[in-house]
Amino acid sequence: MSTFPDGIRFSVLDRSRTREGEDAPQALRDTVRLAQEVEALGYHRFWVSEHHGVPGVAGSAPTVLAAAVAAATSAVRVGTGGVMLPNHRPLVVAEQFGVLEALFPGRIDMGVGRSVGFTDGIRRALGRAKEDADRFAEQLTELLGWFTGEQAAHPQVHARPAEGLRVPPFVLATGEGAGIAAAAGLPLVIGDLRRRDRLLAAVDTYRAAFRPSPWAAEPYVVVAGTVAVAATEAEARRLLMPEAWSLAYSRTRGVFPPLAAPERIEETAMTSMTEKQRGFYESGLDGHLHGTEEQVAEGLERAVKETGAQEVLVTTSTYDRTALSDSYRRLARAVGLTPRGA
């Protein structure tokens, strides 16, 4: 039986993936329903993501979706994983989270990242360029200043109702972003679990460079990754197939499609896959934590011990929503979560 350090937390990130044969509104409604399930199972946080112009992802406005999730729940923390700060003005982001915190006090998390739009066309539509990601550290400082009242970029301007409120900030990072989180003295959310050497190096860099701040007195690491749990290892691996195929398709066609059923992937996609697509597909399947409850618990325990993480942020995307819910139930049981209301 696996054992985890005292106080370890387990949370969920949902990307509002669409499925073949359903529309984006259905995916968003299912995200809200999943949040209710996750809350009942005892997970600590439920976060939503930001994607623009992607056919396979419905979540384009994370703060709006977070409001719907928070309204439909009562105990789980709700946040973003994340708002991509280079896509927005920091003042507007501060105002949005200020409104969320005012409406749902003590339950809102502000996860921010440094990515920009997926394609040149999307970046132009957002009024942004790739180079805007280089200003992330500057934007992050301004964003935090809107809450403390200390921002200096726009004298005599105040963010209402954000100023004076305390919304926990998190930095979603890979590589360089870990250093930005450390310099700002903020919690770090980092993945993925497959690239363990790179992950450990970034975590070590973050801890070594961390400077205490009013937001965090010491380093706080959240490791993120894909996890799938089922009755057998083969069934769990099957849960990974739809996302792996979408990834392979996007890498070779330039479009990230809705999730397809494993049966359709086996019947049609597998037979027409190019060698390049097959390589991406196999890569998309390999390395993720998947298996039975015992196998996954052991894998997560090992990851937590290696990274010293205080929290694990799990994301799972698959075509079958019943199997998705079952995976989260099995994971909750495997890691020893206490159901709320039990």
Side-chain angles (χ1 to χ4, degrees), residues 13-232:
L13 167 66
D14 188 66
R15 291 187 295 134
S16 302
R17 294 287 274 114
T18 58
R19 274 75 177 165
E20 286 188 344
E22 74 172 33
D23 57 15
Q26 181 65 49
L28 294 172
R29 289 190 293 268
D30 283 331
T31 287
V32 176
R33 279 193 284 270
L34 180 62
Q36 294 171 321
E37 294 177 16
V38 161
E39 176 178 59
L41 290 169
Y43 287 92
H44 184 60
R45 310 179 203 275
F46 186 89
W47 283 4
V48 296
S49 63
E50 175 182 341
H51 296 272
H52 297 282
V54 181
V57 184
S60 58
T63 53
V64 177
L65 184 53
V69 168
T73 56
S74 60
V76 68
R77 294 195 64 86
V78 177
T80 54
V83 166
M84 296 300 124
L85 197 50
N87 291 337
H88 310 280
R89 299 295 300 181
L91 169 62
V92 175
V93 175
E95 289 173 334
Q96 290 173 345
F97 278 98
V99 169
L100 284 170
E101 177 64 19
L103 292 172
F104 309 101
R107 291 181 55 211
I108 301 301
D109 299 321
M110 183 173 63
V112 295
R114 64 187 295 269
S115 295
V116 290
F118 183 60
T119 65
D120 288 339
I122 291 172
R123 287 189 288 271
R124 285 194 296 272
L126 290 168
R128 297 293 183 264
K130 284 184 178 181
E131 296 74 25
D132 286 306
D134 298 334
R135 297 183 54 243
F136 177 66
E138 174 189 338
Q139 289 183 304
L140 181 61
T141 299
E142 181 184 334
L143 173 63
L144 298 178
W146 288 116
F147 287 91
T148 63
E150 298 172 337
Q151 68 81 26
H154 304 280
Q156 299 182 331
V157 180
H158 300 271
R160 311 292 188 198
E163 188 171 310
L165 296 179
R166 192 166 183 86
V167 182
F170 296 76
V171 172
L172 282 68
T174 56
E176 178 185 346
I180 294 173
L186 299 182
L188 172 70
V189 183
I190 188 163
D192 62 38
L193 292 171
R194 292 187 297 173
R195 299 173 175 85
R196 197 65 56 88
D197 290 346
R198 187 184 303 176
L199 173 64
L200 293 175
V203 169
D204 287 344
T205 297
Y206 165 72
R207 287 203 175 98
F210 184 87
R211 298 190 305 197
S213 75
W215 302 98
E218 56 188 26
Y220 188 92
V221 175
V222 183
V223 291
T226 295
V227 179
V229 194
T232 67

Side-chain angles (χ1 to χ4, degrees), residues 236-270:
R237 183 175 172 84
R238 191 173 178 82
L239 294 181
L240 302 174
M241 288 175 59
E243 186 76 6
W245 168 238
S246 289
L247 176 65
Y249 192 96
S250 71
R251 292 286 180 86
T252 53
R253 304 283 185 89
V255 176
F256 201 78
L259 297 172
E263 295 78 15
R264 195 188 78 74
I265 295 171
E266 291 171 332
E267 293 171 2
T268 59
M270 294 293 287

